[in-house]
Amino acid sequence: MKKGAWTVSRTGVEQPEAAGLLYSYYDELVSRYWGRPCEAGEVESAMRDEPNDDLAVFLVARVGDAAAGCVGVRMLAAGLAELSRMYIRPEFRRSGGGRLLLAAADQAAEESGARAIRLDTRDDLVEARAMYARCGYREIPAYNDSRYADHWFEKAPPSPRI
């Protein structure tokens, strides 16, 4: 793991740094789904099947100058956001970046008018499911019919501070 302070900033998904993180995200998801390294064209196919152009907010986390992770927020309906594309590069995991990104995504969703934030995830993403639960997300019934989702979570943003 690299040392340094974590920072988070907004960027567009088309920016090179964001595009690199998204490619790594899809590469890991496809590899874990099939239980093998990706074959030629599989990442690109997944990116076409699940585009990123509907993300209202895209956040990149850095450790020093290194792009270490990302997360996106899309608005599903008035007052309802969805967390998506949560990813931390392996060498930066277990160093607080996931929680930092989740907190930043929660704040961005709330600033966009969300009263609740949802996400879906898969059975094989055990670490992610545990982190979501630790960060206040609770499992709910399915809210979409994604063929890649096995678990659905929701969280209400914190109450306003007095």
Side-chain angles (χ1 to χ4, degrees):
M1 173 186 69
K2 297 191 178 195
K3 302 282 185 196
W6 283 89
T7 60
V8 176
S9 61
R10 289 182 186 217
T11 191
V13 296
E14 74 285 349
Q15 296 301 313
E17 187 174 61
L21 284 163
L22 285 166
Y23 191 92
S24 296
Y25 162 84
Y26 284 103
D27 183 60
E28 182 170 330
L29 282 183
V30 172
S31 296
R32 287 180 73 159
Y33 184 78
W34 293 112
R36 59 166 170 69
C38 286
E39 295 177 1
E42 285 182 322
V43 171
E44 293 80 4
S45 177
M47 291 177 85
R48 280 190 305 276
D49 290 346
E50 305 234 350
N52 301 298
D53 57 356
D54 64 343
L55 296 173
V57 176
F58 193 74
L59 303 169
V60 169
R62 292 177 190 76
V63 175
D65 292 332
C70 61
V71 67
V73 176
R74 74 173 46 89
M75 296 307 291
L76 297 176
L80 182 60
E82 182 179 48
L83 186 83
S84 189
R85 312 305 188 252
M86 177 71 184
Y87 177 71
I88 300 289
R89 292 188 190 274
E91 64 269 27
F92 296 102
R93 291 182 184 160
R94 305 195 65 75
S95 63
R99 284 180 182 242
L100 181 70
L101 266 176
L102 274 180
D106 288 351
Q107 181 178 346
E110 190 172 9
E111 289 169 359
S112 297
R115 294 182 305 278
I117 307 160
R118 292 182 174 172
L119 64 90
D120 64 44
T121 191
R122 298 189 330 223
D123 274 335
D124 62 320
L125 301 176
V126 176
E127 309 91 336
R129 290 190 349 252
M131 181 182 66
Y132 297 139
R134 282 192 309 270
C135 291
Y137 285 81
R138 62 178 178 78
E139 199 149 355
I140 60 170
Y143 67 88
N144 65 27
D145 59 358
S146 171
R147 65 182 178 184
Y148 300 112
D150 302 302
H151 299 270
W152 295 262
F153 290 83
E154 183 176 274
K155 178 181 180 181
S159 300
R161 293 180 188 94
I162 299 175

